[in-house]
Amino acid sequence: YHTSLLSGEGWVLELFTGHPEHICNKLGVSAEVFNHLTLTLRSYGHSNSRFVLLEEQLSTFLYVCVTGLPMRHVRE
């Protein structure tokens, strides 16, 4: 489970500023691939929602894919 005291944007920042393997372990991709995915999504017209950055949206999606946890566990 996600055990950080941070949520949302803070958790994403923690992933990027921590050990390089941390983001790969949690999201299944390197920081370089994550950044490329974000740029690709933006090029297709995806953007931040009213309250959630695109990076946080992508992180949540990848985290669910890697862990297989249901969204009710991820939201907590």
Side-chain angles (χ1 to χ4, degrees):
Y1 283 13
H2 167 72
T3 56
S4 174
L5 294 177
L6 301 172
S7 62
E9 186 179 352
W11 184 66
V12 174
L13 182 61
E14 178 183 63
L15 286 175
F16 276 92
T17 57
H19 193 279
E21 288 183 15
H22 193 184
I23 188 171
C24 197
N25 291 337
K26 295 292 184 185
L27 304 182
V29 297
S30 66
E32 181 181 348
V33 170
F34 183 89
N35 288 330
H36 183 73
L37 282 169
T38 303
L39 290 172
T40 301
L41 287 169
R42 288 193 189 284
S43 75
Y44 280 98
H46 296 278
S47 61
N48 301 339
S49 68
R50 186 169 181 186
F51 298 108
V52 183
L53 296 174
L54 180 60
E55 291 80 2
E56 185 183 344
Q57 295 172 48
L58 178 58
S59 296
T60 302
F61 171 76
L62 291 172
Y63 185 73
V64 168
C65 290
V66 167
T67 63
L69 291 170
M71 282 302 296
R72 70 177 181 271
H73 289 294
V74 174
R75 283 191 300 258
E76 296 173 1

